[in-house]
Amino acid sequence: YCDTQHGTLFLNRCFCHPAHTGLFCTERSWIVNSHWIEATEHCPNLSRNITYDPNDDDGRYRYNCYYSESSGISQVPRAVWKDAQRQELNVWKGGTQTQDRADTHINSFANYEVLKHHVFGKTLEIGCGPWTQLRWIAHALEKQQRATTGTVLSWSLQHITLLEPNGENYMKQVPSCSYKDGKLLGKPI
Protein backbone atom coordinates (compact mmCIF):
# COMPACT_ATOMS: atom_id res chain seq x y z
CA TYR A 1 0.00 0.00 0.00
CA CYS A 2 1.15 3.58 -0.60
CA ASP A 3 0.81 6.26 2.08
CA THR A 4 -1.01 8.68 -0.22
CA GLN A 5 -0.54 11.51 2.25
CA HIS A 6 3.23 11.30 1.64
CA GLY A 7 3.40 9.66 -1.78
CA THR A 8 1.66 9.19 -5.11
CA LEU A 9 0.73 5.77 -6.44
CA PHE A 10 1.55 5.63 -10.15
CA LEU A 11 2.00 2.54 -12.33
CA ASN A 12 1.73 0.39 -9.21
CA ARG A 13 4.69 2.15 -7.56
CA CYS A 14 4.72 4.59 -4.69
CA PHE A 15 6.61 7.79 -5.54
CA CYS A 16 7.45 9.63 -2.32
CA HIS A 17 6.80 13.30 -1.81
CA PRO A 18 9.81 15.36 -0.68
CA ALA A 19 11.15 14.57 2.78
CA HIS A 20 9.62 11.07 2.74
CA THR A 21 11.17 7.76 1.77
CA GLY A 22 10.74 4.02 1.97
CA LEU A 23 8.87 1.51 -0.15
CA PHE A 24 5.51 2.97 0.91
CA CYS A 25 6.69 6.54 1.72
CA THR A 26 6.03 6.06 5.42
CA GLU A 27 9.52 7.05 6.61
CA ARG A 28 10.74 10.62 7.13
CA SER A 29 13.85 11.57 5.15
CA TRP A 30 16.19 14.43 5.89
CA ILE A 31 18.32 14.06 2.77
CA VAL A 32 17.80 16.77 0.19
CA ASN A 33 19.63 16.32 -3.09
CA SER A 34 22.55 14.45 -1.50
CA HIS A 35 23.06 17.14 1.15
CA TRP A 36 22.24 16.12 4.70
CA ILE A 37 20.36 19.15 5.93
CA GLU A 38 17.55 19.70 8.36
CA ALA A 39 14.59 19.87 5.98
CA THR A 40 12.50 22.13 8.16
CA GLU A 41 15.36 24.63 8.52
CA HIS A 42 16.26 25.05 4.84
CA CYS A 43 13.01 23.93 3.25
CA PRO A 44 10.15 25.66 5.02
CA ASN A 45 7.80 24.45 2.29
CA LEU A 46 8.11 20.97 3.81
CA SER A 47 6.86 22.05 7.21
CA ARG A 48 4.26 24.72 6.54
CA ASN A 49 2.37 26.31 3.68
CA ILE A 50 4.34 29.25 2.25
CA THR A 51 3.95 31.47 -0.78
CA TYR A 52 6.52 30.99 -3.53
CA ASP A 53 8.39 34.17 -4.47
CA PRO A 54 10.21 33.91 -7.83
CA ASN A 55 12.20 37.04 -6.97
CA ASP A 56 13.63 35.50 -3.82
CA ASP A 57 17.40 35.81 -4.17
CA ASP A 58 17.99 33.15 -1.55
CA GLY A 59 16.62 30.40 -3.81
CA ARG A 60 19.60 28.04 -3.48
CA TYR A 61 17.40 25.39 -1.87
CA ARG A 62 14.32 26.09 -3.97
CA TYR A 63 14.60 22.98 -6.16
CA ASN A 64 16.44 20.85 -3.61
CA CYS A 65 13.44 21.18 -1.36
CA TYR A 66 11.39 19.09 -3.77
CA TYR A 67 13.93 16.28 -4.13
CA SER A 68 12.90 12.73 -3.29
CA GLU A 69 15.34 9.83 -2.97
CA SER A 70 13.01 7.53 -4.89
CA SER A 71 12.08 9.79 -7.80
CA GLY A 72 14.36 12.83 -7.90
CA ILE A 73 12.41 16.02 -8.52
CA SER A 74 9.15 14.81 -9.99
CA GLN A 75 6.85 17.53 -8.74
CA VAL A 76 7.03 21.17 -7.74
CA PRO A 77 4.36 23.73 -6.90
CA ARG A 78 2.63 25.20 -9.93
CA ALA A 79 4.16 28.65 -9.31
CA VAL A 80 7.68 27.18 -9.36
CA TRP A 81 6.91 25.26 -12.56
CA LYS A 82 5.39 28.31 -14.30
CA ASP A 83 8.40 30.43 -13.34
CA ALA A 84 10.76 27.78 -14.76
CA GLN A 85 8.78 27.73 -18.04
CA ARG A 86 8.96 31.53 -18.27
CA GLN A 87 12.71 31.51 -17.62
CA GLU A 88 13.33 28.80 -20.21
CA LEU A 89 11.37 30.69 -22.86
CA ASN A 90 13.44 33.80 -22.10
CA VAL A 91 16.65 31.81 -22.64
CA TRP A 92 15.67 30.68 -26.15
CA LYS A 93 13.58 33.48 -27.65
CA GLY A 94 15.41 35.96 -29.81
CA GLY A 95 18.56 33.84 -29.78
CA THR A 96 20.45 32.47 -32.74
CA GLN A 97 20.66 28.88 -31.51
CA THR A 98 19.37 26.06 -33.70
CA GLN A 99 19.88 23.21 -31.26
CA ASP A 100 20.42 22.45 -27.57
CA ARG A 101 23.58 20.36 -27.10
CA ALA A 102 22.69 18.01 -29.97
CA ASP A 103 26.34 17.05 -30.54
CA THR A 104 26.75 16.15 -26.88
CA HIS A 105 23.65 13.96 -26.98
CA ILE A 106 24.66 12.27 -30.24
CA ASN A 107 28.12 11.49 -28.86
CA SER A 108 26.82 10.45 -25.44
CA PHE A 109 24.38 8.01 -27.03
CA ALA A 110 26.95 6.59 -29.50
CA ASN A 111 25.24 8.12 -32.55
CA TYR A 112 22.00 6.41 -31.49
CA GLU A 113 23.41 3.19 -32.97
CA VAL A 114 21.10 1.11 -30.78
CA LEU A 115 18.10 2.63 -32.61
CA LYS A 116 19.19 1.86 -36.17
CA HIS A 117 16.78 -1.08 -36.53
CA HIS A 118 14.06 0.36 -34.32
CA VAL A 119 10.57 0.76 -35.75
CA PHE A 120 9.37 4.14 -34.55
CA GLY A 121 5.79 4.17 -35.80
CA LYS A 122 3.93 6.64 -33.61
CA THR A 123 6.48 8.63 -31.61
CA LEU A 124 6.02 10.91 -28.61
CA GLU A 125 8.77 13.28 -27.50
CA ILE A 126 8.23 14.75 -24.04
CA GLY A 127 9.82 18.10 -23.21
CA CYS A 128 11.22 18.64 -26.68
CA GLY A 129 12.19 22.29 -26.28
CA PRO A 130 12.26 24.43 -29.43
CA TRP A 131 14.30 22.00 -31.55
CA THR A 132 13.55 18.42 -30.38
CA GLN A 133 15.97 15.52 -30.01
CA LEU A 134 14.00 13.44 -32.51
CA ARG A 135 15.28 15.64 -35.32
CA TRP A 136 18.89 14.87 -34.34
CA ILE A 137 18.16 11.17 -33.87
CA ALA A 138 16.80 11.13 -37.42
CA HIS A 139 19.91 12.91 -38.76
CA ALA A 140 22.23 10.49 -36.94
CA LEU A 141 20.33 7.46 -38.28
CA GLU A 142 20.30 8.88 -41.81
CA LYS A 143 24.06 9.48 -41.60
CA GLN A 144 24.58 5.86 -40.51
CA GLN A 145 22.45 4.58 -43.41
CA ARG A 146 24.37 6.71 -45.90
CA ALA A 147 27.68 5.40 -44.55
CA THR A 148 26.66 1.73 -44.67
CA THR A 149 24.39 1.55 -47.74
CA GLY A 150 25.28 4.67 -49.70
CA THR A 151 21.67 5.77 -49.57
CA VAL A 152 19.07 6.87 -47.06
CA LEU A 153 16.19 4.49 -46.66
CA SER A 154 12.78 5.73 -45.69
CA TRP A 155 12.56 5.15 -41.95
CA SER A 156 9.58 3.96 -40.01
CA LEU A 157 8.38 7.18 -38.42
CA GLN A 158 4.65 7.45 -39.11
CA HIS A 159 3.37 10.06 -36.67
CA ILE A 160 5.00 12.57 -34.29
CA THR A 161 3.50 13.98 -31.12
CA LEU A 162 5.45 16.66 -29.27
CA LEU A 163 4.56 17.32 -25.65
CA GLU A 164 6.11 20.64 -24.73
CA PRO A 165 4.49 23.10 -22.29
CA ASN A 166 6.15 26.02 -24.10
CA GLY A 167 5.51 24.61 -27.57
CA GLU A 168 3.15 27.31 -28.81
CA ASN A 169 5.38 30.03 -27.35
CA TYR A 170 8.45 28.51 -29.03
CA MET A 171 6.62 28.36 -32.36
CA LYS A 172 5.76 32.06 -32.10
CA GLN A 173 8.84 33.50 -30.35
CA VAL A 174 11.86 31.32 -31.25
CA PRO A 175 12.75 32.02 -34.91
CA SER A 176 14.68 28.75 -35.32
CA CYS A 177 12.05 26.50 -33.70
CA SER A 178 12.22 23.28 -35.74
CA TYR A 179 8.45 22.71 -35.74
CA LYS A 180 7.18 26.30 -36.01
CA ASP A 181 5.34 25.47 -39.24
CA GLY A 182 3.47 22.62 -37.52
CA LYS A 183 5.71 19.94 -39.05
CA LEU A 184 8.82 18.07 -38.01
CA LEU A 185 10.81 15.92 -40.42
CA GLY A 186 8.06 16.50 -42.98
CA LYS A 187 5.38 15.04 -40.69
CA PRO A 188 2.56 17.05 -39.08
CA ILE A 189 2.86 17.32 -35.33
Side-chain angles (χ1 to χ4, degrees):
Y1 101 105
C2 182
D3 178 354
T4 55
Q5 183 179 357
H6 299 115
T8 301
L9 185 63
F10 181 67
L11 296 175
N12 211 26
R13 179 175 172 208
C14 194
F15 291 89
C16 300
H17 297 166
H20 291 85
T21 190
L23 188 59
F24 304 112
C25 303
T26 54
E27 302 169 40
R28 186 77 169 154
S29 170
W30 299 108
I31 188 169
V32 177
N33 204 12
S34 302
H35 299 288
W36 290 92
I37 62 172
E38 181 77 23
T40 55
E41 178 185 339
H42 295 289
C43 301
N45 59 301
L46 301 181
S47 63
R48 66 181 187 275
N49 197 1
I50 62 167
T51 303
Y52 169 71
D53 179 4
N55 300 314
D56 177 13
D57 289 335
D58 190 25
R60 62 180 176 236
Y61 295 108
R62 185 176 302 147
Y63 293 104
N64 290 345
C65 293
Y66 303 104
Y67 178 83
S68 164
E69 290 176 79
S70 63
S71 58
I73 300 175
S74 60
Q75 56 187 341
V76 295
R78 185 168 181 77
V80 173
W81 181 81
K82 286 180 84 164
D83 184 53
Q85 296 306 308
R86 181 187 55 76
Q87 288 182 41
E88 185 169 350
L89 177 61
N90 286 337
V91 166
W92 301 130
K93 72 179 182 181
T96 58
Q97 308 94 315
T98 58
Q99 51 97 1
D100 179 17
R101 303 180 324 261
D103 293 335
T104 301
H105 293 126
I106 290 169
N107 291 331
S108 296
F109 290 101
N111 294 312
Y112 301 107
E113 179 80 19
V114 71
L115 298 176
K116 70 180 177 183
H117 299 295
H118 183 74
V119 176
F120 284 85
K122 295 179 180 177
T123 302
L124 166 67
E125 183 172 345
I126 300 173
C128 63
W131 305 291
T132 84
Q133 292 303 314
L134 187 58
R135 178 173 69 136
W136 298 105
I137 291 171
H139 289 304
L141 295 177
E142 288 172 1
K143 187 176 177 181
Q144 289 174 32
Q145 286 179 352
R146 225 179 256 109
T148 57
T149 66
T151 185
V152 175
L153 306 171
S154 157
W155 63 311
S156 61
L157 186 63
Q158 297 169 353
H159 181 79
I160 300 171
T161 299
L162 302 178
L163 181 60
E164 170 54 60
N166 265 333
E168 289 185 23
N169 292 326
Y170 291 149
M171 292 169 77
K172 293 174 188 170
Q173 298 180 44
V174 178
S176 61
C177 176
S178 62
Y179 51 90
K180 72 180 189 176
D181 63 352
K183 292 183 179 182
L184 179 68
L185 301 170
K187 306 276 185 192
I189 56 168

